[in-house]
Each structure stands twice: as structure tokens, then as C-alpha cells.
Amino acid sequence: MGNTEFKSDVDFVVRIAGEGGEGIISCGELFAQAAARTEYHVFTYITYPAEVRGGFSMIQIRIRDWMIYSMGSTVDYLVVFSQQGYDRTIGSLGKGGTVIYDPDLVKIEEVPGATFHAVPFSKISGEAVGGQRGKNIVALGVLGHLFSMDRQVLEKLLQDRFGGKGGQATEINLKSLAVGYEAARQAAMGCRFHLSAPSSQKAVYMMLSGNEAIALGAIAAGCRFVAGYPITPATPIFETLTRLMPKVGGTAIQMEDEIASISACIGASFGGEKVLTPTSGPGLQLMGEQLTLAAMLELPLVIVNVQRGGPSTGLPTKTEQSDLKFAIYGTAGESPRAILAPSGVEDCFYQTLRAFTISEHFQMPVIILTDQSIGYRKATVRIPAVSNITVVDSSVPCEEIDLPSPDRIQTTNRLEPSSEELRGYKRFKDTDDGVSPIARPGTPGGQYLATGLEHTEAGRADYSPSTHVKMTRKRFRKLKALSKTLETNPPECYGPEDAQIGIIGWGSTEGAIREARYLAAEKGIPVRHLHPKVVSPLPNRQIEHFLSEMKQVLVVEENYTGQFAHFVKGLFGARPIEIHKYEGVPIAPEEILSAIEKVAGILDEEDISRV
Amino acid sequence: MGNTEFKSDVDFVVRIAGEGGEGIISCGELFAQAAARTEYHVFTYITYPAEVRGGFSMIQIRIRDWMIYSMGSTVDYLVVFSQQGYDRTIGSLGKGGTVIYDPDLVKIEEVPGATFHAVPFSKISGEAVGGQRGKNIVALGVLGHLFSMDRQVLEKLLQDRFGGKGGQATEINLKSLAVGYEAARQAAMGCRFHLSAPSSQKAVYMMLSGNEAIALGAIAAGCRFVAGYPITPATPIFETLTRLMPKVGGTAIQMEDEIASISACIGASFGGEKVLTPTSGPGLQLMGEQLTLAAMLELPLVIVNVQRGGPSTGLPTKTEQSDLKFAIYGTAGESPRAILAPSGVEDCFYQTLRAFTISEHFQMPVIILTDQSIGYRKATVRIPAVSNITVVDSSVPCEEIDLPSPDRIQTTNRLEPSSEELRGYKRFKDTDDGVSPIARPGTPGGQYLATGLEHTEAGRADYSPSTHVKMTRKRFRKLKALSKTLETNPPECYGPEDAQIGIIGWGSTEGAIREARYLAAEKGIPVRHLHPKVVSPLPNRQIEHFLSEMKQVLVVEENYTGQFAHFVKGLFGARPIEIHKYEGVPIAPEEILSAIEKVAGILDEEDISRV
Amino acid sequence: MKRTSAEYKSSIKPVWCAGCSEYSVLSSVQKVLAELDIPPEDIVVVSGIGCSGRFSHYLNAYSLHGTHGRALPISLGVKAARPDLTVLTVGGDGDGLGIGGGHISHAARKNVDLTYLMIDNRIYGLTKGQASPTTPLGAKTKTSPYGVYEDALAAIPIFLAYDVSFIARGNIGDVSEISELVTAAITHKGMSIVYIVSPCRTFPVEGFKETVESSEVVPADHDRTDRLKAMELAYSYSPLYTGIFYQIRKPTLGDRLRDDTDRAQAEAGGKEVTIEQILQSFA
Amino acid sequence: MKRTSAEYKSSIKPVWCAGCSEYSVLSSVQKVLAELDIPPEDIVVVSGIGCSGRFSHYLNAYSLHGTHGRALPISLGVKAARPDLTVLTVGGDGDGLGIGGGHISHAARKNVDLTYLMIDNRIYGLTKGQASPTTPLGAKTKTSPYGVYEDALAAIPIFLAYDVSFIARGNIGDVSEISELVTAAITHKGMSIVYIVSPCRTFPVEGFKETVESSEVVPADHDRTDRLKAMELAYSYSPLYTGIFYQIRKPTLGDRLRDDTDRAQAEAGGKEVTIEQILQSFA
Ligand SMILES: Cc1ncc(C[n+]2csc(CCOP(=O)(O)OP(=O)(O)O)c2C)c(N)n1
Ligand SMILES: Cc1ncc(C[n+]2csc(CCOP(=O)(O)OP(=O)(O)O)c2C)c(N)n1
Ligand code: SF4
Ligand code: SF4
Ligand SMILES: [Mg+2]
Ligand SMILES: [Mg+2]
């Protein structure tokens, strides 16, 4: 039961806040990286401004002795570099929290029960390295002392990041680290917690962002062609892949825009490769025409949309779940595609594997819908048993392919025509499940025409009513086959089966909902939680079943119009309570808990009135 | 009551069919134009291939002594130029029909009760003008004789189209016309019907295609800037406007693609002009990013999407209603817009006027959703009382602006700031209905920043949660205000109020549904018909009311997935019977009638079982 | 066994207008492919939307008929992923210089090893006669009823400024020249453009036929690596020069990506890194 | 009363990095506008997305901060609809030559009377240091960890091939030159581009500073109407020439649209046709 899973002795949150350009994120990331090398689990959340410099920026790191599902809602240790950083985060300080601030830059107001340490980061950095460049690393030193971290570990990380010993940047940073440790000692900060003992078990963990997890998932799935164009917050996927693809013998090319990126992917997919292009909402808008082309040519293609706040350029560095309907319906005419929404950093890896399986198997575009909060969040992720990655034969039905898990990963390739099928080859053969063998260029006799015009089974352009009817049905039959496959998957349900309150969420809210469920359980309110990973097509029967068992259902999502709730209402006739957060920041477990409590109160009253 | 409205003595259908490039369409259009100059109403429907040459092509002309709502379902007079033309249309010949065919090119099979006339168009043209160029006009001459049309009328039309007398093209055509008349006389074809007496009442009618009606509506609304890129089947809107705009002092420029087209419109709208860009599905897909920009900058902008068969290049010359959800949801993030679906050629004119009113009043993009069948259809349209076009003050609430009608047209302009409002000017002021005054460049003190980033009321970029929440609500408040306005409009309902069977349709199916309703009434089945012109946001209360009064509801639309039905189900919890036609051709009244009859049968049985 | 043109014909009958010059381009390409002895299964042809866009339907090859203006980036993807294939890109003036105009410079920067046939009829043919980026100033078309109000683009100078590594112009009136140019282009290592002036029969543009008829082969002594001289020749409209204007050798995208891979794998001793190693590097 | 620079400052404080050269471009433009005495309400500035895209936030004018790569067609729409306004377009190398690269040739064909400031820092600044179309071959950036594998675009030759009617290059190191060029560009009737080389402080690109420092003004005797000569000068990288490369007179979009209108209204005796007349013409 969830409750025991939730028991944890160590669980605290560190936040570093200030202005963009002050090195806040790298300070926090280095701290998190060092923490991840201990026996503890680490989870980070980042907010940064759309400008290169200036604007509120922060990183939050949660450390715990058990799996972490959300960023946490209150802060235990707060490091602030600027007045804005202080003003905008002090309200999140939890009971008995600690604040470390630069007294030359930040005016504080004492908070009862909190501890305040003044550390003049700026001044210290100025004295030690003659400028502000070191101030974030001074702060890292202070944190190192506070959590009695092994200084060698941090030094090693600095060297890895800034180039070997002796380099100017490295020297400045090592110096800053040392004075940071020293400053904390002088300020007589007691050590709060020991983040030192590296555990043997931890060797099987990586520290990854959601964006990195997607890049790794693609490589594991056998993707060897990537074309992309930078766009916040999806850029790190592409950057990671430009670095890794050549290492594994693949290609990652930067194109002149998103239209060219998806076009190149279509070309490479036509050439027989597994392909991916990462983007965010504004970029996906430019891809629409090519997305339907891929659907019409029945080419596998994986697109990642790391959602950000919209509309238009909107809030480029903030999180939002507002592209769901757009991903499903955002193109002209009617063509099938699947949408997958990973629930967390680790899940980004597995849903990417699954996206390739679906895309290659059903020869249709698949969109992976994550968001800024998941993309930039870093978390400790178990290294999967890579030696267990097996490629199943392309003729294996999709429902027989294992869902990827740390223990077992099956990948698949697209179906190729047999030599028999090559005789009088019909590329778009109208089969039972709509899937027809696709010839790889270079295969003699497999030459065919792939046209975006409506076409016959043989690929010839044809606009007759009967052809359009037949081929529309063929293309959608693949979606139906996928739906059937989904129904046989284990339900994505958590929590006690006898609960009367249900919560449905999708994507990155999974952790917050899960924690809210644990918190509710502690208060004696059992809650059941459904979190489909494939958000289109939906596992209808599972959702119906879930809805039928609940007295009251909440739908949680981070947008204004209630996009997922619309489906729950439209497809299943339910009348859920909708919780929308659209502030550019992830929803917190407490916000969900308070909704649960309200609903529980109403149900109680109903019970009473029924007595 | 509809029934009397439907009584008609004259009602027949002429179809000309053959291959693209044979001049079939111009033959039919000239015939229709001549017919429209008589006292009768005319309605045409065109099918043509996506190729410049070759492929099945046809034009169907319906002539009637009363308003015409659909293309008709059976053909009375069939003129065929090619075997394909014959094979693909002979099945539509009605009882007692007449077929005129070229015996050198078409092999016929006698149909009982039908009359067949062999006229060797090709040979006649060859002999008369030394080639095939005249064969369509020979056919026109034959039709002229058949319906004892005034030869001078046709000659005048030929001269207008091919340049004055004496020109080579004109001479060839006049010659061909003469030999056509002669050939029919020789073939001893009896005159079937007199299309000669020009009526005095007819001076108030135009003969327009839906595409032309939109172009005229834009001009009447005060639109003076158009940017576009050719795309079938929307090109004629743009072509018409390139011709007309300079005449009325406006600008119509061709851009390098659809992105540039909508961008130029955004620029011109920012400059203070009423703007329009016409396109079709593939082009609209390219406009998504700029569409949300317009929504974010709160700029008025009218886009016409003449839908064609999809997905991808699909069936570029065929009709389909498959872009509805795309038009509503097809962009990233969440931003308001309105979607209007004209129901016929005449309505194209009025909904375009309305689109500008909504767009200018609420400062948001409006998409007009027509389709190929409406765009290329020609019909007789009453000339509105142009002297009654008045511009109402921009402060007049939208619900007080008259819906445009032949008798009275009110247009409106965007709200400008008063000199008071210019002091400390807040371009995006958060008002009751979300609409804030917009300064026209050139206005001193009105300078402001319009950014696609989230911004404050003053226009300054700001990504704080409170600003995003406030401004999202502000933008959507305009949509709510529009919804309220819609509820006060007269309901778009037809047929007896006590009917138990209801039909809901949208867009171009209006005429076919209407005729089906008349046909059903003749069979004693009363049917009520709801046909909202604004399809997003929907007039919710009106639809709810309609649904609550019906025992059984049919939703008719020309797509595969049932896009409008999805809303009827999702928003109103109804379980309608869905009629989807997705063959690239418009649904016929008979197809709808047969569904009505089935439903009526079921209701009867229910009544019986209840007895 | 020598291959024949016929092997490169698909079973689909072209629907171009009678007498359209696209027929000549098609048969010329089929002839060249046979002569170069490239197996049909190793050819990918990608075309845009337009009359010329139908090209892919009629060639026996792996054929992709995409969307308007995107034939080039699609082709680039094919070649980047599958350097073993011969890639042909075909499209019109509107497709290539209008909606797709932004892609050429970037394909040129990558010097992707493909051959692009741009068939310029100075009009939007398929959509029935609207102005294209090469329709000359003042010409009346369906979207310029009072005459085109924009200067026509000068395609060859633009390709030169993009530094496309092979640039030729062919005149559809001289099919054997077209065959020669296409052969040279396909043989060229890197991006090649054969720009074919080819008046449309059905929607003729004023003066175009005369310009084309005035064409002359570039002087025999023209140094093909001299970009500025090529530019000068390209700016001449009477005579309108045809032939190869420019041809240089520089590494192709394939060459450069191979170098990248070498550099990336150098630390791993020139071997592909395993997935296990990749994952471990994040531990 | 003479106008001052300050009148052209908006109330928003720039967020560019300390020492970023965008500050100089901004103040130079503000100075020029004051000197040209153009009322702020008659100025429209449209910018793309990027560090340079923030330009519109800081100028007191009717300012539009649009989407990535579309500043030019948006500006064109403003000017076509409102010929009375002064239109400034601002964007970066990625915005202008990458995603927006397809629009320049067409704005040039229309010779729309606006001034385009393209600020080239050879990098994607706002997204934190990825390769741009002008990042030189071999340079390491966040998306070219093994070095850029594409040739950099040569912007000036490309603008010349597009026949943009005014083309200048400015070096951000010489602010008074920038002011002169911007003045000349705004005064020019037709499309003008001032291309400013402007290294990014935060994401510096190898060799760029040196190239910029080597800059030299184009020879005083350079004939600005000589396109081929301008091309030759533009291909020189050391010295990197600055100043006006090309300037010709040709009718602007506004001029030509006015002619169109005249032709269209000729049959109606040079008067605007009424809506009634238009409708009647369809009867
Ligand atoms: C996105 C999009 N916009 C517009 C069109 C319509 N369209 C089809 S072909 C064409 C122009 C064709 O001209 P060109 O490229 O010169 O080819 P041609 O027919 O002359 O060979 C256009 C505008 C389209 N298919 N897709
Ligand atoms: C459609 C779209 N794709 C990608 C982006 C992300 N993006 C923002 S700015 C930028 C590049 C900026 O580079 P440049 O134009 O050179 O301007 P700079 O920041 O260097 O001034 C990119 C790729 C975007 N905003 N929109
Ligand atoms: S329209 Fe012109 S280019 Fe197209 S097929 Fe006909 S002749 Fe050829
Ligand atoms: S990143 Fe470079 S271009 Fe952008 S503001 Fe900083 S210094 Fe200027
Ligand atoms: Mg063309
Ligand atoms: Mg840049």
C-alpha cells in the first residue's frame, strides 16, 4: 500500500534563488549531483527567466531516502542571492527553515522559528577571485559545509565541468569553493545533515533530466537520426543528441527551422531509419503540414513536444499542459496519431521507448508530450538492464511486446515485405489491422510511390469516393488496433481499490498527485489515482471502469480550459471536479490535497444525509 | 411552413461531364449564367480533377422557379464528352432523362425510358474551327437550342469572356455556338423548356460562387487589405480580391507562402486595417504560429479556410468538412478565437460580414470555415440593399449590432482609446468584457508594445503567475462575452416545433438537410433542423433547448470521425445518430431522407411498443 | 546487361497537358539514369507540389511526393540517413523559390550530395496560372490582373550567392543538353542544381518563349570555379546562357558527418560507444 | 523644438547582458530617429525572437515583438497598409537568415520601403549558444560539440543576389558609423538592410572578434550601383569591409501598388468604385 511506500526519515528541500545569470542553476545542479552520489534520491526543479540575463531564477533540490515524486511544497533551506529571489520565495519557507542570504544585497524580515545566516557571497567572491564569477560556487561551498559533503566530490565535479585542473575557470571555482566552506565554518553554521557516505547500491542510478531521459530513450530504442532546431525548453534534448548520436554511429543535424527538421525526419524515415525531432509548442505549430504528410505516407516518426506556457511565445521558460488538444487535433483533415505523456523523469525514458514501438509498429506519427517542469527536472533514475534490450521480430503483434521496464526492454522494427509480397507490391495494402509492409529503399522490387494525395493500395493517386473511403478506414484501423492493444495493458491505477474518491491526471502531475494521495491517506482519506500514459487514443474501458467505481472524480491538469477533463466529460459522460492550475509553475501536492479534503467533506455530508 | 416554400413547378438538373481540360466547366458556367438572366434561380456544382488536364470533371446546373438549396440528386439532362464522363454519371440519370453524347468517343448502353441524342461534338468542332477548342461551345449551342435560349444572350456572354468582337478566340467561339445550335436543330431535338424570358424582378440578383461571395462580403465589411497565396479551392477568393481591391482603394498582395500571408495581415491589422487571408487546410496548418500571435496581440484578423479533402494534399479538388476541430484547437497554448461556418453561397456573404464584426469588436482571429462545394458552387444571390450599409460606432455592444441581412447591414470598427485613456495608456486593459481600446499607429501618445510574450495590461513582458492568470482570463473573457452575444441571436432553427426528429448540421450541408426536411414532410414525417452558423463558441443554450425537445437527433456532417457530433456528445451529453459522408462529394438530400425514414420507423415502433 | 530507359518508367501514365515540356525532362532523366546504370531501387526521387511535382509519380524508383516547398529538406533527410542512395529532387519555380525558398541556402551550406531539378515555367501551373517568383514585372496573370508588381527573382545569381557547388541552366528546347547537364549533376559530389527554363503551354507568360529561344551556351572558356564571372554570365538575359555556370569541390555533408563521428568516437578508440556506456556516463 | 534621444526610450529597462552590443545599436537608433525628427507615433518597429528581438521593447514607438523569423513579412504588411509610417525591422542572424531566410528575397522583390537591421552575433544568443547560419565551419557550440559541419552563409552576397536596393554592413565597434548607415538606410526609398556584425559577449564564437577588428571601410571610390563589384568586396573577410555596398533606385511597393490602383480605377474614370457598382458587376 502506498502509505508504507511513503514512509521516509530523510526528506528535505533546498532552494537557491536570485537573478538569471548569477550561476544559480549550476550551483544547484552541482549540489544535486553531489547529493545524488550518496545513498539518497535527488529531485530538482528549475525556474529561469526567458532573458539571457536578469529576471527571477531558482533551483529547488529535494533529497530523500526513498523515491521522490514531486518537488516538494515547502522549503527547508533557502539560499538567496537577490532581493527579488528573497521576496518571491520566502513565502515557501517551511516551519523551522533556514535562510542563507547575502546581507549586502538582500533585506530580510525575521520569520519566527526560522534561522537566518548572513553570508556576503558577493563580497567574498570579490575578495577571493576579484569579481562576481565565483559567488555561486561560494554558495556551493557553504552548502557543502552545511551538509558536510565531501569537498573532494565537489572538486571533482567542478573539474569535470570546467575542464581539467590548471584551467583558469577551474582554478577560480576551486578557490571559490574553498572560501565558501571557510565562510560557513566562520559563520559557525552547524552541520545540518550528512550527505557523505556513498552507497554501494547507488551505482545503478543515473542523475538525469527529463530531456536527457528522452534522448537516452531514443538511443536505446534504436533511433539513429535526429533533426532539430533549438527551442526552449526542448533544446537540451537536441543538444544531448548532437553530442551522443555520433558516438553511437547515428546522425543529429541542426536544420534551419522546424519545418525543415520534420521534413528531414520524414526523408530519413522514408529511408528506413528510426527518427525523432524534439520541439515545443511554437515549433510544433510549424510542423503540422508535415505531420499529416507523415500520417498520409504512413511513415513512423516520433516528435517530442516539451510544453511551455502559451499562447504564442507566451512563457517560454515556464511549464504548462496546454498543448493536449492541439497535439491530438492540430492538423487539417483526419489522420491517426498517438500521443504519449510521460509522468516523470524516469518515465520519459520508458515512454520514449514505447513511442518508437508504437510508431514503428503502426507506421504513424507519435507525439511525446512532456513539459518544462519534467524536461528540466533532474532526478535519480535506475539504470535499466541494458543487456536485456532485445529487438523482437517485426511480425510480433504490438500487444505481445513487453512494456519497457528497468528489467526488460523490447524494441521493434517496422514490418518489411516478404519476397512474395514484393511481387506486385502494394505498399498500402488494406490489411486487417491496417498495417502494411513497407519496403526500405535499396530493396529491389520494392520501389513505390508515397504521395500525400489520396491513393490506392498500390500508391497511385486516386480521388474516387471508394478509394478515399477505403483508405481513410485503413488508416484509422491502425488506431483502432492500437486502442485494442492499450486495453490489454495493465491499468495505470494506484491506491486502494475501495476508495470513493478518484483522481485522474496526465503527464507531469503524476508525482504531485501521488504525494497528495499519500498525504490524504495519512489523514484517513483513501484516494485512487488513474494516470494514463497514452493520452490518445485513450484506454477507454479502463477509464470507464475507473469512473464507474468512484463516487467523485477530480481531474487535475495545468491549463486553463480543462483539456483532459473535456475528454472525460465528452467521451465518458462524467462530471468531474476540475482542478486547473495555470500559473506557469507545477501544481503542489498540498493544492491537490486541499481539493481532496473538500471533496471528502462533501461525500461525508452526503453519507450523513443519507443516514 | 417549409412545405409550401418547397412547392415548385420548374425544377430540373443539367449535368455536363468529361475530362479536365475539355472546357466542360466554362460550357456549364456560361449556360448557368445565361439561365440566371431569366426569371429562374440557378445553382451549380463543380467537380474537377487535381491535374491541369485529364481526370474526371463535371458541372451540374440546377434550374428552378424558387430558391435552390442543394445541387439536386438526379440528373434530367446529361451531356457527356468522354467515356469516363458517361460511366461515372449515367447512374445519376433520373427517370425520363435525356442524354446527349459524342458517339465517336462514348459507347452507351440504352436506359429504358431515357432519350439519347448522339451529337459528334468533336467532329463538328473539328470541321467548323479546325480543332477541339470549340467543342464545349458546340455543346453550349446544343443546350441553347434545347432550352430555346436567346442566342444573343449567349453571344454577349462569349464576347464578355473572350474579349470583344473580332478577337480570334471570340470568333472561334461564336462560330462553334452557331454550329451547335444548328446541330441540335438537325438532330431534331425538340425544345424541352423555355429559358428565355428575362424577368424584371431578376435585376436584383447576382450569380455568385461562394468564393466570390466571401470576397464581396469582405469588401462590404470594409476590409481593405488582403494577403494570400494560391491554394485550391480557395484561390478564387484571392483572385477575385486581387482584381477588386485596387478598384475600391484597397490592397491585395500575393506573398511567398501562407506564413508570410498571415504575417502581412498581422502587420496590416496592427497598422489599423481590416484584413483577410484566404486559404485551405494545408495552408492553415502553416499559419498556426501566427494565428496564436494574433490572439496574443489581440489583433482582429479574418482567415477563410475553404476546406478540401484531407489529410495532407489529400483530395485537393474535393469537398470535406474535416477541419472543424483543427480550426478550433489547432494551435499551441490556449487562446480565444471564433469559427463561423456559412451554410450556402449567399450566406458566405453575410457570415463574412459577421466575421469582421466579431473580429473587430472582440479583437481576436475569426476563421470562416467553408468548403470546396460551397466555394465553387454558383447560385443566384439577391443583391443586398447596399445603401443601407452603415458603420455603427465602435462603442456599440456587439449584441446590439444587427446580424447582416439583405435589408440591413451594419459594420463596426475596432475600439480606439479616448484621449483620456491615452494618458498612461494601457493597451491590454483588463476590462469587464476583456475588450480594451487599441491605438492606431500615428496616434500621438498611443505608442505601445505588442509582444507575443505574456504581458501586463501595459504590454510589458511578464511571466509571473499572477499576470498569466489575469491575462489568460482577460483573453477568454472576450470569448465569454461573444458567447453571451450569441445566445441573444435568433435561433437558427427550421421546421415544425412539434417535430420529434431533429437534425443538426453545420456549414455547406444546410441545403441538403433542408431539402431532406421538405421531402420528409411530404412523406408525413415532421423534422426540425438546427444549423448554427457560429460553430465555436457554440450557442449552448439554444442547442440544449433544441436537444431537449427532440426524441431523436441526427448529426449530419461530411467527415469520418464525426467532429461536430463529438461536441454534441461532449458538451451536451446527447447520444445522436451520426451520419458521416466522407467521399469527397456533398451529401444528397435523399441520403439524409433515408436516415430520417429509418429513425422515424424506430420511433414508430417505440410508440407501438408503448401502446 | 545494359539498362534501358523503360526500366525507369512507372506504370502510371502522366497527366500533364499535351505538349508540356515536363515530358521531355522526364524522359531525359530516365535516359540518364539508364546510362549511369543506377539500379531503380537505389534511387529516391522526392518532388514538391505543382505540375513538376508529379514527376515522382512517373519514375520507377522509391518516390516521395511530399508537400509544397519541402522537397529539398525531405531529400536532405533521405541522403543524410542513407548516403548509399542516389537522391533526386524535383520541383517548380513556385515550389522551390517561393514557399520553399528558405531551404536552398541551408541545403547548400550542408553541401548535401543530391541533384535538384528546378523546372521554371514562370507560373504556378497546377493551380492554373497565378504569378510565381519568376514571373516578370508587369506580366498579367490570374493574381496580377493589372500586371505583376514585383521584380522577378534571378535564380542563378542566388544559387551562386548560396555557393551551391554545382549550378547549371538547361533549356527545355535542347533535350540533349538537358541530359548532359543532368548526367554531370548526378555525377557531381555535393549539391547540384539543374535549373530548367521551360515555358508552360497552357499558361504562357509574355516574353518567356522569346527569352528561351535566345539562349546560348556559356562560353567554352568559362572557368567554372570563377563565381563572379559566373554571376556576370547569369545576369545576362539576351543571350540567356545555358550550361554549367559553376562547379567546385568541397566536402559533402556525408564527408563532414563522417568526420564528426570520427571525432566523437576518438575517445572510445574509434569504436561505436555502447548504450551501456552511454547510460553509465550519466551515473 | 528639437527632439531628443530620450523621447525614443520606452519605460522598459533592457535585460541584455552587461556589455552586450545591442545597447549600442539601440542608442544609435534612438539618436538617429531624433535627428531625423520622426515622431514616435509614426514609427513602427517590428522585431523577431532572439536577444536582438527584444529591441522593440525598448523603443518608444508602435512596437510589435512577433514570432521567430517573421519580422520581415509582418513589417511588409504594416508598410503596405500604412505607407505613411516609418517601419523598422530588427532581428538576429538566426531569426533572419535561418528560420526567416525565405522571406528576404520576396521583400526585396517588392522593394518595400522599410529598414531592416540584422544583428549578426554568429550564434543563437537567447537560447544560449547554439550554432547559427553564420557560425563558421568547425566552431564548437552547444549543438555542434564536434564543430560546425556547414559552411557559414555569406549574407551580403546573398542580399546582393536578391537585389535589395540598399545594402550596408556596420561594425558594432564603430557606433558613429552605425548611426550614419542607419540614417542613410531610413532615408533610402525602398528596402534597406543594415547588417551589423556584433560579437556576443556571453557566447563568443572563435575568431569572430578578430574578423570584426580587421574591418575597413569600403573604398571611397566604390560605385554603389555596381553589383558585381559590391559582390567582390563582400567576399573579402580580411579586411572585412563596412559601409554601403549597394544602393539603387527602383520603384517601391508603394509606388507600384499606386500604379495598380490607377490602372484598376482607370475604367471608372480614376475614381474609387463603389460597393454598389462592384455588386452590380456580378448581376
Ligand atoms: C501549403 C500549400 N500552399 C499552396 C498550395 C497550392 N499549390 C499547389 S501547386 C502550387 C504552385 C505550383 O507552382 P510551381 O511550383 O511553379 O509548379 P508548376 O505547377 O508550375 O510546375 C500551389 C500554390 C499547396 N499545395 N500547399
Ligand atoms: C518557432 C520557434 N522556434 C524556435 C524558437 C526558439 N528561439 C528563440 S530565439 C532563437 C534564436 C535566436 O538567435 P538569433 O536570431 O541569432 O538572435 P540572438 O539571440 O542571437 O540575437 C531561437 C531558436 C522560437 N522562439 N520559435
Ligand atoms: S499547366 Fe503548363 S506546366 Fe502544367 S502540365 Fe500543363 S503545360 Fe505543363
Ligand atoms: S547572450 Fe550575447 S547577444 Fe544576448 S544579451 Fe547576452 S551578450 Fe547580448
Ligand atoms: Mg511553375
Ligand atoms: Mg544571433
Side-chain angles (χ1 to χ4, degrees), chain B residues 151-341:
Chain B
R151 204 164 109 192
Q152 273 91 47
V153 171
L154 287 171
E155 283 174 354
K156 176 73 174 47
L157 288 172
L158 284 172
Q159 279 161 13
D160 287 355
R161 182 174 282 217
F162 296 100
K165 262 188 167 169
Q168 203 206 341
T170 310
E171 288 311 310
I172 286 180
N173 283 308
L174 291 177
K175 184 85 189 286
S176 306
L177 186 72
V179 297
Y181 266 91
E182 185 50 34
R185 200 164 14 245
Q186 283 181 8
M189 274 185 225
C191 165
R192 293 311 179 93
F193 190 82
H194 284 271
L195 280 175
S196 46
S199 104
S200 55
Q201 199 224 330
K202 279 305 295 281
V204 297
Y205 281 88
M206 306 175 276
M207 171 90 177
L208 290 184
S209 71
N211 279 336
E212 287 167 337
I214 285 179
L216 297 183
I219 288 176
C223 169
R224 289 296 177 270
F225 186 90
V226 173
Y229 188 74
I231 185 166
T232 308
T235 309
I237 300 178
F238 185 56
E239 289 177 350
T240 305
L241 286 167
T242 55
R243 189 166 64 78
L244 299 181
M245 270 296 161
K247 286 188 193 280
V248 296
T251 300
I253 48 177
Q254 182 168 336
M255 301 296 291
E256 56 273 24
D257 62 17
E258 288 84 353
I259 299 178
S261 300
I262 187 173
S263 297
C265 283
I266 286 175
S269 182
F270 184 73
E273 286 296 318
K274 291 184 185 172
V275 302
L276 175 140
T277 184
T279 191
S280 184
L284 188 60
Q285 291 179 135
L286 289 168
M287 294 185 179
E289 194 188 14
Q290 297 304 74
L291 185 57
T292 43
L293 177 64
M296 194 62 154
L297 307 187
E298 304 195 36
L299 287 175
L301 170 67
V302 175
I303 300 173
V304 187
N305 175 2
V306 186
Q307 297 166 97
R308 61 192 224 180
S312 195
T313 314
L315 303 99
T317 58
K318 305 279 170 179
T319 200
E320 199 163 87
Q321 297 183 302
S322 55
D323 292 350
L324 177 65
K325 285 192 183 172
F326 164 51
I328 302 177
Y329 299 125
T331 53
E334 296 172 301
S335 62
R337 85 188 59 138
I339 320 287
L340 271 58

Side-chain angles (χ1 to χ4, degrees), chain A residues 52-53, chain D residues 15-23 51-52 121 123-126 128 198-203:
Chain A
V52 174
R53 206 200 100 255
Chain D
V15 290
W16 290 311
C17 302
C20 174
S21 34
E22 308 267 359
Y23 289 102
C51 294
S52 37
N121 55 11
I123 198 85
Y124 284 180
L126 187 70
K128 307 206 162 127
S198 164
C200 170
R201 276 212 143 197
T202 307
F203 305 103

Side-chain angles (χ1 to χ4, degrees), chain D residues 211-278:
Chain D
T211 305
V212 169
E213 278 162 6
S214 88
S215 86
E216 230 172 68
V217 178
V218 292
D221 62 354
H222 168 54
D223 173 2
R224 290 178 187 167
T225 65
D226 184 341
R227 183 160 46 188
L228 286 175
K229 183 69 199 165
M231 199 78 80
E232 203 183 317
L233 293 172
Y235 275 119
S236 155
Y237 288 95
S238 73
L240 185 85
Y241 286 109
T242 62
I244 301 173
F245 284 76
Y246 188 63
Q247 181 168 20
I248 57 163
R249 290 236 39 170
K250 57 179 179 179
T252 65
L253 178 64
D255 296 337
R256 285 174 177 167
L257 289 178
R258 257 195 313 279
D259 288 353
D260 250 29
T261 303
D262 290 348
R263 277 191 290 268
Q265 295 180 355
E267 24 181 306
K271 279 207 312 258
E272 266 183 32
V273 178
T274 65
I275 296 174
E276 197 135 20
Q277 287 169 321
I278 296 274

